């Protein structure tokens, strides 16, 4: 199973690295970071750089696409090299997925028209602009398109996908390997449960 994760300037690192770690541990799965041209791509904090080891042209038909989000997502929605690759590769994928605002890039590629999809809670309404029906859920599956909510939800999405593509035992084994056993110290991981004022502070961090 070949997985391609496209990188673009100011992507969010965990959006890419979370699913990468899950899928890279799966037996027989190979994960490749791609970009228009191979080379370094820096994240939205400006301090972490990942290397794309292949170009879009090098991987025209991956089995799985994982499109990360990030503070740079809106800047690249008009990047026809990226959205064109997503659209063309989608014709041949077994699964086309996104994390966080990466779903907006699926929408920009014309893949979400009339479909339910999710993204980071702060951007849900933007999905309407690309023809999708926003859903406030952790992971949303519509046929072979799977979208995940914000950042950490990419790990949930990858495990969900792995279970569907292989079997639950494989996904459970990978979950145990990475010791994914969330026990957060606070209940502020959702705007539904966050204390008063936390959502506003969180939005300022995204500015």
């Amino acid at each position: 199973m070949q997985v391609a994760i496209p990188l673009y300037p100011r992507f969010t690192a965990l959006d890419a690295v979370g699913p990468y770690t899950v899928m890279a541990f799966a037996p027989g799965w190979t994960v490749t970071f791609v970009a228009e041209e191979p080379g370094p791509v820096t994240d939205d904090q400006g301090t972490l750089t990942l290397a794309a080891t292949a170009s879009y042209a090098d991987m025209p038909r991956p089995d799985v696409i994982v499109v990360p989000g990030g503070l740079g997502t809106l800047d690249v929605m008009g990047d026809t090299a990226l959205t064109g690759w997503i659209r063309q590769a989608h014709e041949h994928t077994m699964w086309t997925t996104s994390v966080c605002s990466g779903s907006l890039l699926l929408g920009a590629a014309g893949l979400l028209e009339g479909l339910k999809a999710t993204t980071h809670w702060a951007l849900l309404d933007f999905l309407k602009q690309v023809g999708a029906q926003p859903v406030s859920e952790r992971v949303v599956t519509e046929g072979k398109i799977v979208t995940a909510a914000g950042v950490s939800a990419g790990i949930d999405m990858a495990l969900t996908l792995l279970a569907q593509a292989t079997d639950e035992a494989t996904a459970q084994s990978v979950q145990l390997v990475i010791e994914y056993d969330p026990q957060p110290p606070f209940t502020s991981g959702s705007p539904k449960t966050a204390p008063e004022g936390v959502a506003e502070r969180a939005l300022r961090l995204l500015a």
Side-chain angles (χ1 to χ4, degrees):
M1 190 76 76
Q2 291 191 329
V3 182
I5 302 179
L7 301 178
Y8 54 88
R10 302 177 71 218
F11 70 96
T12 292
L14 188 58
D15 286 10
V17 175
Y20 161 80
T21 301
V22 170
M23 296 177 183
F25 269 114
W29 289 50
T30 302
V31 187
T32 304
F33 291 113
V34 301
E36 186 171 5
E37 297 293 339
V41 185
T42 301
D43 78 337
D44 53 12
Q45 301 305 305
T47 54
L48 186 147
T49 298
L50 296 181
T53 56
S55 68
Y56 301 145
D58 292 331
M59 293 198 68
R61 296 189 175 190
D63 299 303
V64 181
I65 299 171
V66 182
V67 181
L71 297 179
T73 303
L74 298 181
D75 296 335
V76 296
M77 287 185 67
D79 182 345
T80 56
L82 173 56
T83 58
W85 175 80
I86 292 172
R87 182 167 51 252
Q88 292 169 18
H90 172 70
E91 296 177 4
H92 309 284
T93 60
M94 294 179 62
W95 305 95
T96 298
T97 75
S98 65
V99 182
C100 195
S101 58
S103 57
L104 299 180
L105 293 173
L106 298 187
L111 306 185
L112 297 184
E113 188 68 40
L115 300 183
K116 294 179 180 178
T118 193
T119 187
H120 190 282
W121 58 269
L123 298 171
L124 273 173
D125 283 346
F126 280 84
L127 284 171
K128 297 177 183 177
Q129 298 181 21
V130 293
Q133 301 176 31
V135 178
S136 181
E137 294 180 8
R138 190 79 169 164
V139 178
V140 176
T141 301
E142 284 275 54
K144 71 173 187 177
I145 295 179
V146 186
T147 56
V151 194
S152 63
I155 298 174
D156 293 10
M157 182 278 293
L159 289 169
T160 299
L161 173 63
L162 190 57
Q164 294 179 11
T166 58
D167 52 63
E168 288 191 1
T170 298
Q172 290 168 346
S173 298
V174 171
Q175 181 177 358
L176 183 55
V177 164
I178 66 174
E179 199 169 348
Y180 182 53
D181 184 24
Q183 299 177 42
F186 311 109
T187 58
S188 57
S190 164
K192 300 173 183 176
T193 59
E196 184 176 355
V198 170
E200 289 74 14
R201 295 186 67 170
L203 287 173
R204 288 197 293 271
L205 296 177
L206 294 173

